[in-house]
Amino acid sequence: EKVFSGFSKTRNNLSVIDELLLYWNLSDTDKVLDELEEALLVSDFGPKITIKIVENLREDILSGKLKSGSEIKEALKKNVLDLLSNRGSKTEVKLGSRKPAVIMIIGVNGGGKTTSLGKLAYRLKNGGAKILLAAGDTFRAAASDQLEIWAERTGCEIVMAETEKAKASVVLSQAVKRGKQEGYDIVLCDTSGRLHTNYRLMEELIACKKAVAKVVAGAPNEILLVLDGTTGLNMLPQAREFNEVVGVTGLILTKLDGSARGGCVVSVVDELGIPVKFVGVGEGVEDLQPFDAEAFVNAIFT
Ligand code: GDP
């Protein structure tokens, strides 16, 4: 229900094709497909995916496989669903067999990293897990304070840097050690979203990954990249870099409630081959939802 309303702006963009399809006949094909192409591009599906979908449909219309507007609409939805579902992975988060499980949350500042971490803590805690938060964004002074607010809001313990100059990898290592000693199920690690240089940021993330692996073999179990949904396709190069350097296991797309560019979900999944695990649909503790490809398709195409 929430995801449904969360995509209303994207749905509005795409709804222009509904009327055309309602009165569709074969002689309208070019016009309808042009409009469809435009609507997909405006919603940030990206040129590659848009052309793929439109040409698939054209072929099936001209061969007589699709014979009505409603069949075209269903085929359109199926095309998008296939692009998303190929990536499989129904599991929300992989936790492995060793405790604590470690989840690193990465992404550039302002994308919704800390908020998503807080919402995820709330969700996992409600599922019965004992959660420890780790304030690994040691670069921004305010970041730890912000995470501390989320710790209070969700009733979770938090590990923060002991000194101002503490390294992120040290803080995360301490947190995972404490998690191990005190029987936590999951340690949720915040990380920096900006450093003096991008190179330094990537170095730090690699160091964080190594540091937690030293405490618990197999950690981190998940590295979730938070991407700002309002940036649409502009998120792609950034996502590619994080993935190449650090290795991303899942995506969290935020702010889709305010974005008309929801088609970027399809492009990012197709391009990176990484599943979307969650979508952020608001700023409250409950506004993080597991991503469901079918619900997404139904939400954007009604
Ligand atoms: P960080 O710098 O990546 O840690 O980003 P924050 O978690 O501080 O989020 C930046 C802003 O985006 C804050 O004002 C959040 O409340 C807001 N925000 C985060 N996720 C969402 C979301 O899913 N929907 C909306 N509407 N706002 C969000």
Side-chain angles (χ1 to χ4, degrees):
E1 182 62 30
K2 248 322 188 11
V3 172
F4 197 82
S5 64
F7 289 99
S8 61
K9 291 196 177 163
T10 305
R11 182 162 68 246
N12 279 347
N13 266 348
L14 294 168
S15 64
V16 295
I17 56 173
D18 281 345
E19 201 166 328
L20 285 165
L21 286 176
L22 196 61
Y23 300 107
W24 175 85
N25 66 60
L26 196 55
S27 60
D28 291 337
T29 301
D30 285 342
K31 182 170 167 258
V32 170
L33 290 180
D34 281 352
E35 295 268 355
L36 173 61
E37 184 177 310
E38 181 67 29
L40 292 175
L41 288 174
V42 168
S43 308
D44 264 11
F45 277 78
K48 195 174 131 210
I49 298 244
T50 298
I51 290 169
K52 196 147 87 179
I53 293 173
V54 168
E55 291 318 312
N56 272 347
L57 293 176
R58 192 187 310 275
E59 203 179 308
D60 287 348
I61 292 169
L62 296 180
S63 72
K65 200 169 150 198
L66 301 173
K67 293 182 284 294
S68 68
S70 61
E71 280 179 12
I72 296 170
K73 178 83 181 276
E74 282 316 304
L76 166 63
K77 287 166 78 168
K78 171 113 192 353
N79 264 279
V80 175
L81 188 61
D82 286 348
L83 284 165
L84 289 171
S85 311
N86 287 341
R87 309 302 166 195
S89 179
K90 283 264 163 199
T91 53
E92 262 194 34
V93 282
K94 277 196 317 277
L95 298 177
S97 54
R98 295 187 183 87
K99 278 192 184 171
V102 178
I103 301 176
M104 273 172 66
I105 311 283
I106 66 172
V108 299
N109 286 348
K113 196 157 23 76
T114 308
T115 308
S116 298
L117 193 154
K119 290 190 257 186
L120 187 57
Y122 177 81
R123 184 176 180 83
L124 294 169
K125 193 179 178 215
N126 272 358
K130 191 176 169 194
I131 308 288
L132 183 61
L133 308 187
D137 182 355
T138 50
F139 188 70
R140 265 193 309 180
S144 296
D145 300 342
Q146 206 194 336
L147 194 67
E148 203 175 12
I149 294 172
W150 277 100
E152 279 162 24
R153 198 175 281 162
T154 56
C156 293
E157 290 289 313
I158 179 171
V159 172
M160 295 196 281
E162 279 161 11
T163 65
E164 231 169 72
K165 288 204 186 94
K167 278 189 172 170
S169 55
V170 172
V171 176
L172 297 193
S173 173
Q174 283 169 345
V176 179
K177 277 179 191 153
R178 177 170 162 198
K180 202 170 170 180
Q181 280 157 7
E182 299 181 15
Y184 279 87
D185 297 305
I186 304 168
V187 181
L188 283 178
C189 304
D190 198 11
T191 58
S192 291
R194 195 180 70 79
L195 283 186
H196 311 283
T197 64
N198 210 29
Y199 177 75
R200 293 275 283 274
L201 172 60
M202 296 300 164
E203 289 259 284
E204 178 171 294
L205 293 175
I206 291 168
C208 287
K209 225 179 128 170
K210 284 186 185 154
V212 298
K214 269 194 190 156
V215 187
V216 183
N221 304 76
E222 293 271 12
I223 298 180
L224 303 180
L225 173 64
V226 174
L227 295 169
D228 181 336
T230 61
T231 63
L233 285 175
N234 293 328
M235 66 174 66
L236 258 177
Q238 188 193 96
R240 219 178 272 134
E241 186 180 10
F242 274 110
N243 188 38
E244 275 163 15
V245 180
V246 192
V248 174
T249 61
L251 305 171
I252 300 180
L253 294 176
T254 61
K255 308 186 198 178
L256 284 167
D257 45 315
S259 173
R261 311 173 81 182
C264 66
V265 174
V266 185
S267 236
V268 171
V269 170
D270 184 63
E271 187 87 12
L272 301 183
I274 301 168
V276 179
K277 298 258 179 174
F278 298 97
V279 290
V281 294
E283 302 185 82
V285 280
E286 297 191 359
D287 294 331
L288 185 77
Q289 306 210 326
F291 182 72
D292 175 326
E294 205 165 340
F296 169 77
V297 172
N298 285 329
I300 61 171
F301 292 110
T302 56

